[in-house]
Amino acid sequence: MVARLIDGKALAAQLRAGVAEDAARFRERHHRAAGLHVVLVGEDPASVIYTRNKEKAAAKVGIAGQLHRLPEDVSEAALLEQVGALNADDAVDGLLVQLPLPDHIDPNRVVDAISPSKDVDGFHPMNTGLLSTGRPGLVACTPRGIMHLIAQTGLDLKGARAVIVGRSNIVGKPMAQLLLAQHATVTLCHSRTRDLPAVCRDADLLVVAVGQAQMVKGDWIKPGAVVIDVGTNRLEGRKLVGDVDTESAKEHAGWITPVPGGVGPMTITCLLENTLIAARRRLADLD
Ligand code: GUN
């Protein structure tokens, strides 16, 4: 079997066109653009690129993106003050603070300070709690993007065996909740899972988010399975690879996401979707 590729880039472009239409409708109704505000502390090179990409992607669909840069040595109190000011600003519909933060700042305090109604990352405990109890809130962008990608394959999640490798708050845990809500039977694996290859081999759907280059091999994959590779790892020759060994996995999987061009483009797309969801909900509340 040679797997079909799930083209995240094409799907993201298609969804962003829809987001642009929604953003235009929002501008017409409310006489201003929806606003996405991103706070970046320090100069971490990857974070600088990610946040610029978020700002640019927002502008392209007609969302007013604004990046707020603070110095590496900003105090936690000053950062919390900035978050408070953005919470209070009615032109701010979506707000996120880029992670990781410098060691002297407690990320939990910062995430907890973001207004849940503007928390477009879906990281606030109010939003994670709503997700885990099956109630509407804002949902983390990467798992939301993955649900769109899975839908492309036609896989019926009802009763399907879904295995997630990686239990992070950003991907693994919310992914488990979204799949459970679609009636999959979910196994959430991590570094202490016994005989991980055997658990993976049982999966109709395998989502891998561990941050280890090419860890999952082809013979860990059930023939015909859908494989979602969340990893982006740079090899020494600068080549970008996922957490799955794509070449051997393609021989077993039915569908697989490429790296790059799979999950990555979907994450920012879902951030834009979340911004419009947050904007509309907030204004309906205020009307
Ligand atoms: N750092 C890496 N990914 C993310 C993300 O999705 N949101 C935030 N706030 N920081 C990140």
PDB file of all heavy atoms in Angstrom, residues 37 80-95 110-119 124 282:
ATOM      1  N   HIS A  37      -4.493  39.974  18.654  1.00  0.00           N
ATOM      2  CA  HIS A  37      -3.314  40.584  19.286  1.00  0.00           C
ATOM      3  C   HIS A  37      -2.411  39.500  19.862  1.00  0.00           C
ATOM      4  O   HIS A  37      -2.864  38.613  20.587  1.00  0.00           O
ATOM      5  CB  HIS A  37      -3.748  41.583  20.361  1.00  0.00           C
ATOM      6  CG  HIS A  37      -4.374  42.812  19.752  1.00  0.00           C
ATOM      7  ND1 HIS A  37      -3.841  44.070  19.898  1.00  0.00           N
ATOM      8  CD2 HIS A  37      -5.469  42.951  18.951  1.00  0.00           C
ATOM      9  CE1 HIS A  37      -4.586  44.930  19.220  1.00  0.00           C
ATOM     10  NE2 HIS A  37      -5.579  44.283  18.643  1.00  0.00           N
ATOM     11  N   LEU A  80       1.611  40.924  32.967  1.00  0.00           N
ATOM     12  CA  LEU A  80       0.212  40.745  33.381  1.00  0.00           C
ATOM     13  C   LEU A  80      -0.582  42.041  33.179  1.00  0.00           C
ATOM     14  O   LEU A  80      -1.762  42.015  32.818  1.00  0.00           O
ATOM     15  CB  LEU A  80       0.131  40.273  34.835  1.00  0.00           C
ATOM     16  CG  LEU A  80       0.655  38.853  35.082  1.00  0.00           C
ATOM     17  CD1 LEU A  80       0.678  38.525  36.579  1.00  0.00           C
ATOM     18  CD2 LEU A  80      -0.172  37.808  34.333  1.00  0.00           C
ATOM     19  N   GLU A  81       0.099  43.161  33.378  1.00  0.00           N
ATOM     20  CA  GLU A  81      -0.554  44.450  33.174  1.00  0.00           C
ATOM     21  C   GLU A  81      -0.918  44.640  31.695  1.00  0.00           C
ATOM     22  O   GLU A  81      -2.011  45.097  31.356  1.00  0.00           O
ATOM     23  CB  GLU A  81       0.385  45.555  33.640  1.00  0.00           C
ATOM     24  CG  GLU A  81      -0.312  46.861  33.947  1.00  0.00           C
ATOM     25  CD  GLU A  81       0.645  47.844  34.596  1.00  0.00           C
ATOM     26  OE1 GLU A  81       1.260  47.486  35.617  1.00  0.00           O
ATOM     27  OE2 GLU A  81       0.800  48.941  34.046  1.00  0.00           O
ATOM     28  N   GLN A  82       0.017  44.262  30.826  1.00  0.00           N
ATOM     29  CA  GLN A  82      -0.238  44.346  29.383  1.00  0.00           C
ATOM     30  C   GLN A  82      -1.428  43.465  28.990  1.00  0.00           C
ATOM     31  O   GLN A  82      -2.310  43.871  28.234  1.00  0.00           O
ATOM     32  CB  GLN A  82       1.032  43.927  28.624  1.00  0.00           C
ATOM     33  CG  GLN A  82       0.880  43.720  27.146  1.00  0.00           C
ATOM     34  CD  GLN A  82       0.879  45.031  26.371  1.00  0.00           C
ATOM     35  OE1 GLN A  82      -0.145  45.715  26.279  1.00  0.00           O
ATOM     36  NE2 GLN A  82       2.022  45.385  25.817  1.00  0.00           N
ATOM     37  N   VAL A  83      -1.455  42.251  29.523  1.00  0.00           N
ATOM     38  CA  VAL A  83      -2.569  41.330  29.242  1.00  0.00           C
ATOM     39  C   VAL A  83      -3.882  41.953  29.734  1.00  0.00           C
ATOM     40  O   VAL A  83      -4.900  41.927  29.029  1.00  0.00           O
ATOM     41  CB  VAL A  83      -2.316  39.947  29.903  1.00  0.00           C
ATOM     42  CG1 VAL A  83      -3.576  39.079  29.879  1.00  0.00           C
ATOM     43  CG2 VAL A  83      -1.169  39.228  29.194  1.00  0.00           C
ATOM     44  N   GLY A  84      -3.841  42.551  30.916  1.00  0.00           N
ATOM     45  CA  GLY A  84      -5.042  43.188  31.480  1.00  0.00           C
ATOM     46  C   GLY A  84      -5.538  44.314  30.591  1.00  0.00           C
ATOM     47  O   GLY A  84      -6.755  44.451  30.361  1.00  0.00           O
ATOM     48  N   ALA A  85      -4.608  45.113  30.056  1.00  0.00           N
ATOM     49  CA  ALA A  85      -4.990  46.227  29.188  1.00  0.00           C
ATOM     50  C   ALA A  85      -5.637  45.695  27.901  1.00  0.00           C
ATOM     51  O   ALA A  85      -6.642  46.245  27.415  1.00  0.00           O
ATOM     52  CB  ALA A  85      -3.762  47.078  28.865  1.00  0.00           C
ATOM     53  N   LEU A  86      -5.084  44.621  27.348  1.00  0.00           N
ATOM     54  CA  LEU A  86      -5.645  44.051  26.114  1.00  0.00           C
ATOM     55  C   LEU A  86      -7.003  43.378  26.395  1.00  0.00           C
ATOM     56  O   LEU A  86      -7.913  43.423  25.566  1.00  0.00           O
ATOM     57  CB  LEU A  86      -4.652  43.070  25.476  1.00  0.00           C
ATOM     58  CG  LEU A  86      -3.377  43.743  24.937  1.00  0.00           C
ATOM     59  CD1 LEU A  86      -2.304  42.708  24.614  1.00  0.00           C
ATOM     60  CD2 LEU A  86      -3.677  44.590  23.703  1.00  0.00           C
ATOM     61  N   ASN A  87      -7.136  42.773  27.565  1.00  0.00           N
ATOM     62  CA  ASN A  87      -8.449  42.209  27.956  1.00  0.00           C
ATOM     63  C   ASN A  87      -9.520  43.300  27.966  1.00  0.00           C
ATOM     64  O   ASN A  87     -10.668  43.068  27.585  1.00  0.00           O
ATOM     65  CB  ASN A  87      -8.390  41.631  29.376  1.00  0.00           C
ATOM     66  CG  ASN A  87      -7.744  40.257  29.427  1.00  0.00           C
ATOM     67  OD1 ASN A  87      -7.643  39.571  28.427  1.00  0.00           O
ATOM     68  ND2 ASN A  87      -7.286  39.871  30.614  1.00  0.00           N
ATOM     69  N   ALA A  88      -9.117  44.488  28.414  1.00  0.00           N
ATOM     70  CA  ALA A  88     -10.084  45.580  28.600  1.00  0.00           C
ATOM     71  C   ALA A  88     -10.369  46.339  27.305  1.00  0.00           C
ATOM     72  O   ALA A  88     -11.305  47.144  27.262  1.00  0.00           O
ATOM     73  CB  ALA A  88      -9.551  46.553  29.657  1.00  0.00           C
ATOM     74  N   ASP A  89      -9.584  46.088  26.270  1.00  0.00           N
ATOM     75  CA  ASP A  89      -9.699  46.845  25.015  1.00  0.00           C
ATOM     76  C   ASP A  89     -10.727  46.167  24.100  1.00  0.00           C
ATOM     77  O   ASP A  89     -10.519  45.022  23.660  1.00  0.00           O
ATOM     78  CB  ASP A  89      -8.306  46.888  24.353  1.00  0.00           C
ATOM     79  CG  ASP A  89      -8.302  47.717  23.088  1.00  0.00           C
ATOM     80  OD1 ASP A  89      -9.386  48.005  22.536  1.00  0.00           O
ATOM     81  OD2 ASP A  89      -7.198  48.060  22.625  1.00  0.00           O
ATOM     82  N   ASP A  90     -11.804  46.856  23.781  1.00  0.00           N
ATOM     83  CA  ASP A  90     -12.882  46.260  22.978  1.00  0.00           C
ATOM     84  C   ASP A  90     -12.488  45.976  21.532  1.00  0.00           C
ATOM     85  O   ASP A  90     -13.173  45.197  20.849  1.00  0.00           O
ATOM     86  CB  ASP A  90     -14.123  47.161  23.006  1.00  0.00           C
ATOM     87  CG  ASP A  90     -15.034  46.787  24.164  1.00  0.00           C
ATOM     88  OD1 ASP A  90     -14.906  45.643  24.662  1.00  0.00           O
ATOM     89  OD2 ASP A  90     -15.856  47.635  24.576  1.00  0.00           O
ATOM     90  N   ALA A  91     -11.393  46.580  21.056  1.00  0.00           N
ATOM     91  CA  ALA A  91     -10.944  46.292  19.682  1.00  0.00           C
ATOM     92  C   ALA A  91     -10.146  44.988  19.623  1.00  0.00           C
ATOM     93  O   ALA A  91      -9.790  44.511  18.545  1.00  0.00           O
ATOM     94  CB  ALA A  91     -10.088  47.447  19.167  1.00  0.00           C
ATOM     95  N   VAL A  92      -9.859  44.415  20.779  1.00  0.00           N
ATOM     96  CA  VAL A  92      -9.099  43.151  20.836  1.00  0.00           C
ATOM     97  C   VAL A  92     -10.104  42.004  20.972  1.00  0.00           C
ATOM     98  O   VAL A  92     -10.772  41.868  21.989  1.00  0.00           O
ATOM     99  CB  VAL A  92      -8.122  43.150  22.042  1.00  0.00           C
ATOM    100  CG1 VAL A  92      -7.399  41.814  22.154  1.00  0.00           C
ATOM    101  CG2 VAL A  92      -7.135  44.300  21.919  1.00  0.00           C
ATOM    102  N   ASP A  93     -10.191  41.188  19.906  1.00  0.00           N
ATOM    103  CA  ASP A  93     -11.116  40.050  19.946  1.00  0.00           C
ATOM    104  C   ASP A  93     -10.402  38.771  20.345  1.00  0.00           C
ATOM    105  O   ASP A  93     -10.944  37.939  21.059  1.00  0.00           O
ATOM    106  CB  ASP A  93     -11.759  39.865  18.566  1.00  0.00           C
ATOM    107  CG  ASP A  93     -12.570  41.080  18.165  1.00  0.00           C
ATOM    108  OD1 ASP A  93     -13.607  41.311  18.790  1.00  0.00           O
ATOM    109  OD2 ASP A  93     -12.126  41.827  17.266  1.00  0.00           O
ATOM    110  N   GLY A  94      -9.170  38.623  19.826  1.00  0.00           N
ATOM    111  CA  GLY A  94      -8.363  37.443  20.131  1.00  0.00           C
ATOM    112  C   GLY A  94      -7.045  37.884  20.716  1.00  0.00           C
ATOM    113  O   GLY A  94      -6.452  38.865  20.242  1.00  0.00           O
ATOM    114  N   LEU A  95      -6.588  37.152  21.736  1.00  0.00           N
ATOM    115  CA  LEU A  95      -5.351  37.529  22.430  1.00  0.00           C
ATOM    116  C   LEU A  95      -4.566  36.268  22.766  1.00  0.00           C
ATOM    117  O   LEU A  95      -5.133  35.305  23.299  1.00  0.00           O
ATOM    118  CB  LEU A  95      -5.734  38.275  23.719  1.00  0.00           C
ATOM    119  CG  LEU A  95      -4.636  38.558  24.745  1.00  0.00           C
ATOM    120  CD1 LEU A  95      -3.521  39.375  24.129  1.00  0.00           C
ATOM    121  CD2 LEU A  95      -5.227  39.294  25.947  1.00  0.00           C
ATOM    122  N   VAL A 110       0.166  33.623  33.450  1.00  0.00           N
ATOM    123  CA  VAL A 110      -0.102  34.459  32.275  1.00  0.00           C
ATOM    124  C   VAL A 110      -1.327  33.923  31.526  1.00  0.00           C
ATOM    125  O   VAL A 110      -2.234  34.690  31.175  1.00  0.00           O
ATOM    126  CB  VAL A 110       1.150  34.513  31.362  1.00  0.00           C
ATOM    127  CG1 VAL A 110       0.849  35.268  30.079  1.00  0.00           C
ATOM    128  CG2 VAL A 110       2.310  35.139  32.113  1.00  0.00           C
ATOM    129  N   VAL A 111      -1.362  32.617  31.303  1.00  0.00           N
ATOM    130  CA  VAL A 111      -2.508  32.027  30.591  1.00  0.00           C
ATOM    131  C   VAL A 111      -3.794  32.268  31.390  1.00  0.00           C
ATOM    132  O   VAL A 111      -4.838  32.617  30.828  1.00  0.00           O
ATOM    133  CB  VAL A 111      -2.267  30.515  30.335  1.00  0.00           C
ATOM    134  CG1 VAL A 111      -3.539  29.835  29.860  1.00  0.00           C
ATOM    135  CG2 VAL A 111      -1.150  30.325  29.308  1.00  0.00           C
ATOM    136  N   ASP A 112      -3.699  32.127  32.696  1.00  0.00           N
ATOM    137  CA  ASP A 112      -4.889  32.328  33.545  1.00  0.00           C
ATOM    138  C   ASP A 112      -5.390  33.767  33.496  1.00  0.00           C
ATOM    139  O   ASP A 112      -6.569  34.026  33.774  1.00  0.00           O
ATOM    140  CB  ASP A 112      -4.584  31.971  35.015  1.00  0.00           C
ATOM    141  CG  ASP A 112      -4.374  30.484  35.224  1.00  0.00           C
ATOM    142  OD1 ASP A 112      -4.476  29.729  34.234  1.00  0.00           O
ATOM    143  OD2 ASP A 112      -4.078  30.070  36.362  1.00  0.00           O
ATOM    144  N   ALA A 113      -4.483  34.702  33.163  1.00  0.00           N
ATOM    145  CA  ALA A 113      -4.864  36.126  33.164  1.00  0.00           C
ATOM    146  C   ALA A 113      -5.600  36.527  31.883  1.00  0.00           C
ATOM    147  O   ALA A 113      -6.250  37.569  31.839  1.00  0.00           O
ATOM    148  CB  ALA A 113      -3.611  36.990  33.323  1.00  0.00           C
ATOM    149  N   ILE A 114      -5.482  35.716  30.832  1.00  0.00           N
ATOM    150  CA  ILE A 114      -6.137  36.064  29.557  1.00  0.00           C
ATOM    151  C   ILE A 114      -7.642  35.847  29.696  1.00  0.00           C
ATOM    152  O   ILE A 114      -8.084  34.808  30.212  1.00  0.00           O
ATOM    153  CB  ILE A 114      -5.553  35.194  28.408  1.00  0.00           C
ATOM    154  CG1 ILE A 114      -4.076  35.549  28.195  1.00  0.00           C
ATOM    155  CG2 ILE A 114      -6.354  35.362  27.126  1.00  0.00           C
ATOM    156  CD1 ILE A 114      -3.347  34.631  27.232  1.00  0.00           C
ATOM    157  N   SER A 115      -8.417  36.801  29.220  1.00  0.00           N
ATOM    158  CA  SER A 115      -9.869  36.650  29.285  1.00  0.00           C
ATOM    159  C   SER A 115     -10.280  35.393  28.498  1.00  0.00           C
ATOM    160  O   SER A 115      -9.921  35.258  27.320  1.00  0.00           O
ATOM    161  CB  SER A 115     -10.527  37.886  28.665  1.00  0.00           C
ATOM    162  OG  SER A 115     -11.880  37.616  28.449  1.00  0.00           O
ATOM    163  N   PRO A 116     -11.007  34.456  29.111  1.00  0.00           N
ATOM    164  CA  PRO A 116     -11.386  33.232  28.394  1.00  0.00           C
ATOM    165  C   PRO A 116     -12.111  33.513  27.075  1.00  0.00           C
ATOM    166  O   PRO A 116     -11.962  32.761  26.113  1.00  0.00           O
ATOM    167  CB  PRO A 116     -12.309  32.505  29.376  1.00  0.00           C
ATOM    168  CG  PRO A 116     -11.908  33.018  30.720  1.00  0.00           C
ATOM    169  CD  PRO A 116     -11.464  34.446  30.516  1.00  0.00           C
ATOM    170  N   SER A 117     -12.849  34.625  26.999  1.00  0.00           N
ATOM    171  CA  SER A 117     -13.586  34.922  25.771  1.00  0.00           C
ATOM    172  C   SER A 117     -12.666  35.407  24.648  1.00  0.00           C
ATOM    173  O   SER A 117     -13.068  35.459  23.492  1.00  0.00           O
ATOM    174  CB  SER A 117     -14.669  35.967  26.044  1.00  0.00           C
ATOM    175  OG  SER A 117     -14.056  37.201  26.377  1.00  0.00           O
ATOM    176  N   LYS A 118     -11.407  35.762  24.992  1.00  0.00           N
ATOM    177  CA  LYS A 118     -10.445  36.205  23.963  1.00  0.00           C
ATOM    178  C   LYS A 118      -9.317  35.187  23.752  1.00  0.00           C
ATOM    179  O   LYS A 118      -8.423  35.405  22.935  1.00  0.00           O
ATOM    180  CB  LYS A 118      -9.815  37.545  24.399  1.00  0.00           C
ATOM    181  CG  LYS A 118     -10.828  38.671  24.534  1.00  0.00           C
ATOM    182  CD  LYS A 118     -10.156  40.018  24.785  1.00  0.00           C
ATOM    183  CE  LYS A 118     -11.202  41.125  24.849  1.00  0.00           C
ATOM    184  NZ  LYS A 118     -10.608  42.463  24.877  1.00  0.00           N
ATOM    185  N   ASP A 119      -9.374  34.078  24.469  1.00  0.00           N
ATOM    186  CA  ASP A 119      -8.287  33.089  24.519  1.00  0.00           C
ATOM    187  C   ASP A 119      -8.291  32.217  23.257  1.00  0.00           C
ATOM    188  O   ASP A 119      -8.726  31.061  23.282  1.00  0.00           O
ATOM    189  CB  ASP A 119      -8.485  32.255  25.793  1.00  0.00           C
ATOM    190  CG  ASP A 119      -7.633  31.018  25.832  1.00  0.00           C
ATOM    191  OD1 ASP A 119      -6.473  31.090  25.399  1.00  0.00           O
ATOM    192  OD2 ASP A 119      -8.153  29.967  26.297  1.00  0.00           O
ATOM    193  N   HIS A 124      -6.680  28.572  28.231  1.00  0.00           N
ATOM    194  CA  HIS A 124      -7.168  28.951  29.568  1.00  0.00           C
ATOM    195  C   HIS A 124      -7.930  27.767  30.190  1.00  0.00           C
ATOM    196  O   HIS A 124      -8.670  27.076  29.484  1.00  0.00           O
ATOM    197  CB  HIS A 124      -8.097  30.171  29.450  1.00  0.00           C
ATOM    198  CG  HIS A 124      -8.454  30.768  30.765  1.00  0.00           C
ATOM    199  ND1 HIS A 124      -9.371  30.183  31.609  1.00  0.00           N
ATOM    200  CD2 HIS A 124      -8.001  31.879  31.404  1.00  0.00           C
ATOM    201  CE1 HIS A 124      -9.475  30.919  32.713  1.00  0.00           C
ATOM    202  NE2 HIS A 124      -8.654  31.957  32.611  1.00  0.00           N
ATOM    203  N   ARG A 282     -18.261  37.551  21.265  1.00  0.00           N
ATOM    204  CA  ARG A 282     -18.139  38.687  22.185  1.00  0.00           C
ATOM    205  C   ARG A 282     -19.148  39.764  21.806  1.00  0.00           C
ATOM    206  O   ARG A 282     -19.800  40.340  22.666  1.00  0.00           O
ATOM    207  CB  ARG A 282     -16.717  39.269  22.139  1.00  0.00           C
ATOM    208  CG  ARG A 282     -15.703  38.427  22.886  1.00  0.00           C
ATOM    209  CD  ARG A 282     -14.348  39.074  22.902  1.00  0.00           C
ATOM    210  NE  ARG A 282     -14.430  40.423  23.437  1.00  0.00           N
ATOM    211  CZ  ARG A 282     -14.290  41.531  22.725  1.00  0.00           C
ATOM    212  NH1 ARG A 282     -14.054  41.472  21.436  1.00  0.00           N
ATOM    213  NH2 ARG A 282     -14.397  42.697  23.287  1.00  0.00           N
TER     214      ARG A 282
END
